[in-house]
Amino acid sequence: MPLVRIDALGTDSARLDALGRAVHDALVETIGFPPDDRFQVLVGHDGARSMLRYDNYFGIRRDDGLVLVAITMRSGRTPEQKQALYRRIAELAQEYAGTEPRNVFVTVTENESADWSLGNGVAQYLPSAEDAKARQTP
């Protein structure tokens, strides 16, 4: 269950949708998330009322095509899986949205099962109280 936030400078809804599809498809292909497991916040910044700031850190020459992708998911992925994810997001962002790979900045934040409630005020990834009682019964 990833939660994805994509912030893009100078973009419209069609580009935001394409970027969202790129990230989702990459998560399905490289990490193995189910195709219907999509939760995204897509935000376009116009440069006047909202902005993104960037420099050329690590010698990467970014420009106004910048896209920031923040992914929150449960822990457990290997560094190799994450590297494949970053690569695939950059490839698909270029293919779907015309975004140059140098402008795709991705972060992954990991947490634990107790950190998620998918609705109804329940932590669905945690065992229920009934499950816990059953495990304690001799």
Side-chain angles (χ1 to χ4, degrees):
M1 157 78 184
L3 174 61
V4 175
R5 179 179 171 119
I6 300 172
D7 290 84
L9 189 57
T11 194
D12 58 20
S13 61
R15 181 170 180 244
L16 282 172
D17 181 64
L19 291 166
R21 285 186 296 112
V23 172
H24 181 70
D25 288 355
L27 284 163
V28 170
E29 289 177 26
T30 63
I31 303 293
F33 283 109
D36 65 344
D37 190 355
R38 181 191 308 217
F39 295 89
Q40 299 180 331
V41 178
L42 308 174
V43 182
H45 299 271
D46 63 11
R49 292 174 291 168
S50 61
M51 307 190 73
L52 298 178
R53 298 277 190 228
Y54 58 90
D55 284 315
N56 297 318
Y57 188 61
F58 266 84
I60 300 170
R61 296 241 173 248
R62 296 166 187 85
D63 60 31
D64 286 349
L66 179 68
V67 175
L68 302 177
V69 179
I71 302 169
T72 303
M73 61 184 170
R74 291 185 294 160
S75 62
R77 280 44 178 225
T78 67
E80 294 78 18
Q81 286 176 302
K82 291 176 187 176
Q83 183 62 45
L85 173 65
Y86 305 147
R87 187 177 317 107
R88 193 62 177 143
I89 289 172
E91 291 168 354
L92 293 176
Q94 185 171 34
E95 181 181 332
Y96 295 0
T99 301
E100 295 182 40
R102 66 186 171 88
N103 279 322
V104 179
F105 184 106
V106 181
T107 65
V108 170
T109 302
E110 295 180 313
N111 59 23
E112 301 303 321
S113 295
D115 299 318
W116 295 88
S117 173
L118 310 180
N120 296 322
V122 175
Q124 284 84 356
Y125 292 129
L126 293 180
S128 69
E130 294 80 29
D131 292 340
K133 283 181 186 178
R135 284 193 303 275
Q136 293 175 357
T137 304

